[in-house]
Amino acid sequence: MPHKLKNILTNVPSDLEIAQAATPIRIEEIAAQAGILPDELELYGKTKAKVHLSIRDRLKDVPNGKYIVVTAITPTPLGEGKTTTTVGLSQALGAHLGKKVFTCIRQPSQGPTFGIKGGAAGGGYSQIIPMEEFNLHLTGDIHAIIAANNLLAAAIDTRMLHEANTPDDQVLFDRLCPANKEGNRKFTGVMLRRLKKLGIEKTNPNDLTPEERSRFARLDIDPDTITWRRVLDTNDRMLRGITIGQGPEEKGFTRATGFDIAVASEIMAILALATSLNDMRERLGRMVIGSNRKGEPITADDLGTGGALTVLMKDTIVPNLMQTIEGTPAFVHAGPLANIAHGNSSIVADQIALKLVGPHGYVLTEAGFGADMGMEKFFNIKCRYSGLVPDCVVLVATIRALKMHGGGPKVVAGQPLAHAYVEENLELLEKGCSNLVRLIGNAREFGIPVVVAINRFKNDTDAEVELVRKLSIAAGAEDAVMSNHWAKGGLGAEDLGKAVVAACEKPHKFRFLYSLDLSIKEKIETIVREMYGGAGVDYSPEAEKKIERYTRQGFDKLPICMAKTHLSLSHDPTLKGAPTGFIVPVRDVRASVGAGFLYPLLGTMATMPGLSTRPGYYDVDIDPGTGRVIGLS
């Protein structure tokens, strides 16, 4: 059963010390309390498990619970405690207010865990446990994504090599569909998919004409159009740009490419948006890796890999079950970047959780970064594909970040905060609340009630908290509540929980920001105008070329997933508060056709983080005597 924490220390220990001092409930008990049957559970040790998608079918007639998305104001580089608030609120609802509740959050990348940011299990007395397993391998989902992503990368370059070395189309066809001793040939399932795409109805390889054999066999990939890159889950800046094909057998087939962090892979975005194994298979197969020299899109199925990718990914579609430190259940599933992808955990986890809690329960799902980023993508992308409609937005704010938006000194990770952030300054705070007001407006644009969660730090004063509360309500929030869940666990978020319960009963009428029938440019410009407060968009020649290509290829009806900095409402991380009048530069537009969105690149975006002089791995070690991890943050 969910339980209230005892022996909470006034001098709050490190996250790892708190997590290791807790005694997790066996995951079978967490599952049983949540309504999961034993045969719907796949155990991964004593404290984590995967749950079967069949739960949705068993509970299909049960009405959904209340659906709450947790987002935030534009953060400092330190983050403003969105996950901590999500977990603390879950504990308040479950362990203190007696509600059925589920937390749904993303799995973190190991890159930031060993870099600067540290883990993402929450913090203080509001976190997911075991913290080490959450932040490290979990059940291997990210490893599967790396394997699948890099198999496709290998297939691309191998196919171009073999096509170049086989100028005769009939010879190439014979190699793709070799005859057995009796002279019979057979198409595989993925080959039949390619034939269907080409409009060739024949299923016997021997029946194809020479022209049909040529069309089938030669992809003729234009290397200048390839967007698929290799991935790994380590912050390795030296692999951002590389040259491949240096081996003696590949001489003459070198190509410039690079590595991204694993969670930036389109395959991760697909995991988060797929609603079944069949849906995942279709999405993986239609991923576009580039175009041929005629300008036609080339997919993973064209390369013959769609089925193999699904085999590598088959176990990942199943959500991972864990628990909060107060024993409320949590799904940790998928972790797409909020800069590049849509930054939300999986649809299937939310769907299952909403059925398990039932009509009187609550499901908290977290959207990455601020309400201009993860929340906008949650509504316009995730909700489109899930069919789910939220009942409430929780907007996390800190007085520290609001002071920064008011013109406070630069906040730098690893350096002490300036005096402005640890002393009362109502003037600076009020000026910075322009960011909060804008983002409350962003949430209300979708027709959903908003509750502001003021994540309290030790130096915040009552007057500062009251000022934020007053300005939030004036901007249209249903309520604004100080929450002290980091120091007190669910007890510190009880008032926030009551405010959220009340907001979920408010009438609301959800609406999307834009119609998919708008052009690519119209959708981009709507987001810039309505979410960022920008005055217009400037498209580079490369972006113009891509927009024309994707429109011609029929991808213009996909939703838009803006790739930009999370440190400003604009494209420029130095523009704080609620800037206006700026022009957003779109330097490129790329297609994640399998995931189901186009992503314009605004300004300079790094898809592979780098390590600093003093990364977090300096602190991480193991006690050889006990096997216990130490130093993980």
Side-chain angles (χ1 to χ4, degrees):
M1 293 289 291
H3 54 275
K4 300 177 182 180
L5 287 177
K6 299 177 181 178
N7 303 319
I8 294 177
L9 300 177
T10 304
N11 187 14
V12 180
S14 72
D15 293 348
L16 185 59
E17 289 174 312
I18 292 172
Q20 291 182 337
T23 303
I25 302 169
R26 289 188 68 95
I27 202 65
E28 302 99 303
E29 293 181 41
I30 294 290
Q33 292 159 16
I36 299 167
L37 303 179
D39 63 358
E40 295 169 336
L41 202 65
E42 294 290 338
L43 297 178
Y44 280 69
K46 299 177 181 179
T47 56
K48 59 185 184 292
K50 282 183 172 288
V51 301
H52 294 181
L53 302 189
S54 59
I55 295 171
R56 288 181 308 184
D57 298 325
R58 176 171 65 84
L59 301 177
K60 64 181 185 299
D61 295 327
V62 176
N64 285 347
K66 299 296 185 182
Y67 192 35
I68 301 150
V69 58
V70 183
T71 184
I73 62 170
T74 305
T76 69
L78 307 178
E80 307 316 308
K82 189 165 64 271
T83 303
T84 308
T85 301
T86 303
V87 176
L89 176 56
S90 173
Q91 293 178 162
L93 290 168
H96 296 262
L97 299 178
K99 308 292 186 182
K100 289 204 74 173
V101 65
F102 238 104
T103 306
C104 296
I105 60 176
R106 290 180 292 168
Q107 179 183 354
S109 165
Q110 290 179 41
T113 296
F114 289 105
I116 289 294
K117 185 176 182 290
Y125 288 103
S126 294
Q127 53 179 306
I128 305 292
I129 56 173
M131 186 256 247
E132 310 98 297
E133 295 181 31
F134 176 97
N135 283 313
L136 298 176
H137 302 286
L138 197 57
T139 58
D141 291 349
I142 291 180
H143 299 303
I145 288 166
I146 294 169
N149 185 101
N150 293 344
L151 174 62
L152 179 54
I156 294 167
D157 291 295
T158 296
R159 185 57 171 266
M160 290 194 296
L161 173 70
H162 289 306
E163 285 193 17
N165 287 335
T166 314
D168 188 317
D169 290 351
Q170 302 311 309
V171 174
L172 185 62
F173 179 83
D174 289 341
R175 291 177 179 174
L176 286 168
C177 297
N180 62 17
K181 293 180 180 179
E182 289 76 34
N184 297 319
R185 306 173 190 269
K186 183 179 180 181
F187 286 129
T188 65
V190 74
M191 289 177 171
L192 292 172
R193 286 173 178 256
R194 173 157 173 77
L195 288 169
K196 184 177 180 181
K197 174 183 173 180
L198 295 173
I200 301 172
E201 300 298 328
K202 300 170 184 176
T203 58
N204 185 339
N206 292 326
D207 292 341
L208 267 64
T209 66
E211 187 272 338
E212 289 171 338
R213 292 186 178 197
S214 295
R215 291 177 59 211
F216 168 81
R218 192 164 298 279
L219 299 183
D220 197 26
I221 299 170
D222 180 352
D224 292 337
T225 68
I226 295 173
T227 56
W228 198 261
R229 290 157 60 92
R230 289 157 173 81
V231 300
L232 77 166
D233 206 30
T234 302
N235 290 0
D236 193 343
R237 65 172 72 241
M238 295 304 177
L239 294 178
R240 288 172 175 170
I242 63 169
T243 301
I244 59 173
Q246 299 285 359
E249 294 184 13
E250 294 75 39
K251 191 173 182 180
F253 294 97
T254 59
R255 183 171 71 85
T257 181
F259 277 77
D260 295 332
I261 196 75
V263 292
S265 171
E266 182 180 352
I267 296 178
M268 174 61 91
I270 286 174
L271 173 60
L273 292 170
T275 55
S276 66
L277 187 61
N278 181 64
D279 184 30
M280 173 183 278
R281 169 64 184 88
E282 296 303 316
R283 288 174 178 271
L284 290 171
R286 65 174 179 257
M287 292 188 299
V288 172
I289 60 89
S291 301
N292 63 17
R293 296 183 193 278
K294 294 179 181 178
E296 299 163 336
I298 300 297
T299 68
D301 270 349
D302 290 328
L303 285 155
T305 61
L309 301 182
T310 310
V311 168
L312 288 170
M313 290 289 294
K314 67 180 179 65
D315 294 330
T316 68
I317 189 67
V318 185
N320 304 299
L321 178 66
M322 297 188 77
Q323 64 189 283
T324 72
I325 204 166
E326 294 190 32
T328 59
F331 283 137
V332 183
H333 195 215
L337 281 183
N339 294 99
I340 302 297
H342 63 294
N344 284 259
S345 58
S346 76
I347 286 175
V348 292
D350 290 1
Q351 289 174 331
I352 293 171
L354 285 164
K355 293 300 182 185
L356 286 169
V357 300
H360 304 297
Y362 298 82
V363 171
L364 304 168
T365 194
E366 181 188 339
F369 293 138
D372 59 320
M373 294 280 284
M375 185 199 73
E376 181 268 314
K377 297 171 184 179
F378 168 82
F379 286 132
N380 285 317
I381 298 175
K382 185 175 180 180
C383 289
R384 283 187 198 273
Y385 289 122
S386 71
L388 299 173
V389 175
D391 297 282
C392 175
V393 172
V394 174
L395 183 63
V396 179
T398 63
I399 288 167
R400 172 185 70 191
L402 292 172
K403 286 179 177 178
M404 178 198 69
H405 286 295
K410 186 176 183 179
V411 177
V412 180
Q415 295 185 13
L417 288 171
H419 287 297
Y421 299 113
V422 296
E423 296 175 350
E424 184 173 281
N425 190 326
L426 298 178
E427 182 180 356
L428 192 66
L429 176 61
E430 183 167 9
K431 185 178 178 183
C433 279
S434 61
N435 183 269
L436 173 62
V437 169
R438 169 73 62 76
L439 293 172
I440 290 171
N442 279 11
R444 286 171 53 83
E445 185 84 19
F446 295 93
I448 304 299
V450 184
V451 172
V452 174
I454 307 168
N455 183 18
R456 188 163 196 170
F457 292 169
K458 64 179 182 179
N459 294 306
D460 299 341
T461 69
D462 290 342
E464 288 174 329
V465 171
E466 180 56 30
L467 176 60
V468 174
R469 182 179 181 279
K470 181 183 73 173
L471 294 175
S472 297
I473 293 173
E478 298 296 330
D479 206 344
V481 182
M482 186 278 291
S483 188
N484 199 16
H485 45 274
W486 180 81
K488 296 183 178 181
L491 177 65
E494 272 197 67
D495 289 342
L496 177 60
K498 292 174 183 176
V500 167
V501 169
C504 285
E505 299 303 320
K506 298 281 185 178
H508 59 275
K509 188 174 182 181
F510 174 66
R511 54 185 175 269
F512 294 115
L513 183 66
Y514 54 78
S515 165
L516 295 183
D517 291 330
L518 294 178
S519 69
I520 294 172
K521 283 189 175 181
E522 286 173 324
K523 285 180 277 201
I524 292 171
E525 289 158 16
T526 298
I527 295 170
V528 167
R529 183 177 61 252
E530 301 295 331
M531 294 287 104
Y532 309 159
V537 180
D538 179 42
Y539 300 93
S540 72
E542 179 67 18
E544 293 278 9
K545 183 172 70 174
K546 293 289 187 62
I547 289 171
E548 186 278 328
R549 178 192 300 165
Y550 295 145
T551 301
R552 175 167 39 83
Q553 292 176 341
F555 303 144
D556 55 315
K557 302 308 179 188
L558 293 174
I560 299 296
C561 186
M562 301 287 248
K564 78 172 187 77
T565 179
H566 61 288
L567 297 174
S568 172
L569 282 168
S570 75
H571 63 285
D572 181 352
T574 66
L575 294 180
K576 303 302 183 183
T580 58
F582 55 89
I583 302 296
V584 171
V586 175
R587 65 178 176 88
D588 196 3
V589 181
R590 296 178 186 170
S592 288
V593 177
F597 53 73
L598 302 178
Y599 62 101
L601 300 176
L602 314 187
T604 302
M605 287 298 308
T607 53
M608 169 59 79
L611 292 171
S612 66
T613 305
R614 206 284 191 189
Y617 56 67
Y618 273 87
D619 300 309
V620 180
D621 213 322
I622 196 162
D623 181 336
T626 63
R628 174 168 284 195
V629 174
I630 56 178
L632 197 63
S633 63

